[in-house]
Amino acid sequence: AGKGEFGASLMRKPELVRDCIRAMAEAIDIPVTVKCRLGVDDDDSPEFTATFVRVVSEAGAKHFIIHARKCWLNGLSPEQNRRIPPLMYDRVLRLCREFPELNFSLNGGVNSLDEVESILADAPPNLLGVMVGRAIMNNPCAFADTDRRIYRRSANPWSARTRRALFMAFGEYLDREHPPGSAARTAQGSGAVQCALKPVLAVFNGLRGNKILRQGIDRLARDAELRREEGPGGILRRVVALLDADPQAAE
């Protein structure tokens, strides 16, 4: 990333990022958002971050998603950069106050709905939300109560009430996104189908049924005829049938 000058290293060239954002904004009809860190290596002061936001916003970017830690380009791997540099949520809140005309979202180290609620409880109005990545990938059902707790809905959608309901809703989505003749159905290997089903791999994280789910997806996705005829949605429904056959897993 450092040698190729993409990713976090671009924070040192805010004018270039501004020009890239302007070019994208001129080419599309939807808002362009910016996701960045607090800084890079020793360029990590509040003033450095504020300058980056100020310059880039000149291109019309109105929403910044801030990973609330800096990035070490030298000495840390990408995985280490996700956990070793200290989190500084207060710096994101400072940006909210410094740029009341812009909107922000906070990212980094958020692992539960309790933490989301705590961050948002006293946040400035232009902190629009919290971005959760790996925590929801590793245990999506831990966030099943999001609509009710975070968005203050009277109830969560039906698809969040049980794991089976979640699978059924996602299967319908897969049918729409991967119809007959699509790349996932016609590709030689199973990679495209495996990728389409990756979001559900951790639905039974830590529970009986996890092995059935993962092994079932892996085995059925390798069947070329099944991929072509039923697609990832059909494969998921077949795995649900395997789970239904195990009463304890189905719970």
Side-chain angles (χ1 to χ4, degrees):
K3 292 181 180 178
E5 290 202 328
F6 59 90
S9 68
L10 279 172
M11 289 194 72
R12 289 183 169 134
K13 296 186 175 181
E15 292 82 6
L16 175 58
V17 176
R18 176 196 60 200
D19 294 344
C20 291
I21 297 299
R22 179 175 289 124
M24 287 186 280
E26 291 174 352
I28 60 177
D29 296 324
I30 59 175
V32 179
T33 62
V34 177
K35 186 173 188 289
C36 63
R37 296 232 176 179
L38 292 175
V40 182
D41 295 333
D42 291 325
D43 295 319
D44 64 342
S45 68
E47 293 75 22
F48 174 86
T49 316
T51 296
F52 177 83
V53 169
R54 183 178 299 108
V55 172
V56 174
S57 68
E58 293 172 358
K62 299 296 184 183
H63 187 179
F64 289 77
I65 300 96
I66 309 293
H67 188 158
R69 53 163 57 100
K70 71 174 180 179
C71 176
W72 283 107
L73 293 179
N74 297 308
L76 293 182
S77 68
E79 189 276 331
Q80 290 172 321
N81 260 310
R82 289 193 290 268
R83 57 181 175 82
I84 291 179
L87 289 161
M88 292 182 279
Y89 293 162
D90 60 304
R91 290 273 301 275
V92 181
L93 302 182
R94 174 173 172 167
L95 287 170
C96 291
R97 293 188 291 269
E98 191 167 353
F99 297 94
E101 74 281 9
L102 301 176
N103 292 320
F104 295 88
S105 294
L106 182 149
N107 172 240
V110 182
N111 294 307
S112 70
L113 284 177
D114 288 340
E115 293 177 18
V116 174
E117 287 184 317
S118 176
I119 291 168
L120 296 178
D122 300 313
N126 59 334
L127 183 69
L128 298 188
V130 174
M131 176 183 283
V132 180
R134 294 181 185 278
I136 202 167
M137 180 183 73
N138 294 333
N139 190 7
C141 291
F143 293 83
D145 205 19
T146 296
D147 284 74
R148 191 183 62 83
R149 289 179 60 178
I150 305 301
Y151 296 105
R152 306 305 179 192
R153 306 279 167 77
S154 59
N156 293 306
W158 70 269
S159 57
R161 293 174 186 172
T162 66
R163 287 174 172 79
R164 195 181 197 284
L166 186 155
F167 286 140
M168 293 298 101
F170 192 61
E172 293 174 3
Y173 164 81
L174 291 173
D175 290 340
R176 294 193 300 271
E177 293 298 311
H178 304 283
S182 62
R185 295 194 182 212
T186 59
Q188 278 195 320
S190 63
V193 168
Q194 297 271 15
C195 185
L197 291 168
K198 185 176 180 179
V200 300
L201 286 179
V203 168
F204 276 86
N205 182 29
L207 299 172
R208 183 183 177 107
N210 187 49
K211 186 175 181 180
I212 296 173
L213 173 66
R214 287 177 171 271
Q215 290 187 351
I217 287 176
D218 183 65
R219 176 172 57 84
L220 295 175
R222 296 176 186 275
D223 186 323
E225 183 177 356
L226 197 58
R227 292 199 305 268
R228 183 176 62 255
E229 296 298 324
E230 299 187 24
I235 288 173
L236 180 58
R237 284 185 285 273
R238 284 179 176 265
V239 174
V240 170
L242 296 175
L243 290 164
D244 286 342
D246 184 332
Q248 288 181 285
E251 294 175 2

